[in-house]
């Protein structure tokens, strides 16, 4: 699917918080979703010993939008 945000916003994509029971783990990423309104692919790893199906409705990622800001350290 595709996520679009207002100008100046990006999104942090992470594994769902506090869900260590999931049989997979996505690679965390920041995407400038205001500049790249295209479908985002989510690379992931499946646990080596996992066999079966991932149930419908299982959360696959958490999306945290945030406003970018210029700053100096």
């Amino acid at each position: 699917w595709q996520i679009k945000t207002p100008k100046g916003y990006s999104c942090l994509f992470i594994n769902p918080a506090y869900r260590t029971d999931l049989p997979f783990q996505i690679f965390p990423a920041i995407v400038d979703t205001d500049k790249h309104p295209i479908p985002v692919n989510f690379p992931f790893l499946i646990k080596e010993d996992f066999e079966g199906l991932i149930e419908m409705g299982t959360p696959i990622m958490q999306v945290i939008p945030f406003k970018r800001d210029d700053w100096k350290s």
Side-chain angles (χ1 to χ4, degrees):
W1 34 271
Q2 183 175 342
I3 295 177
K4 294 169 82 176
T5 51
K7 186 175 180 180
Y9 282 80
S10 294
C11 287
L12 170 63
F13 296 91
I14 60 172
N15 230 44
Y18 307 108
R19 292 298 308 264
T20 57
D21 61 318
L22 296 174
F24 55 85
Q25 179 150 1
I26 69 164
F27 292 99
I30 293 175
V31 178
D32 293 340
T33 47
D34 62 336
K35 296 180 181 179
H36 304 286
I38 58 174
V40 179
N41 294 313
F42 303 101
F44 62 94
L45 298 173
I46 297 264
K47 290 183 180 176
E48 189 173 339
D49 59 347
F50 175 72
E51 289 185 23
L53 297 174
I54 297 173
E55 297 282 329
M56 186 182 338
T58 301
I60 58 170
M61 80 186 71
Q62 186 169 349
V63 182
I64 303 170
F66 64 93
K67 184 164 177 36
R68 295 187 307 271
D69 197 9
D70 291 332
W71 57 279
K72 295 180 183 181
S73 63

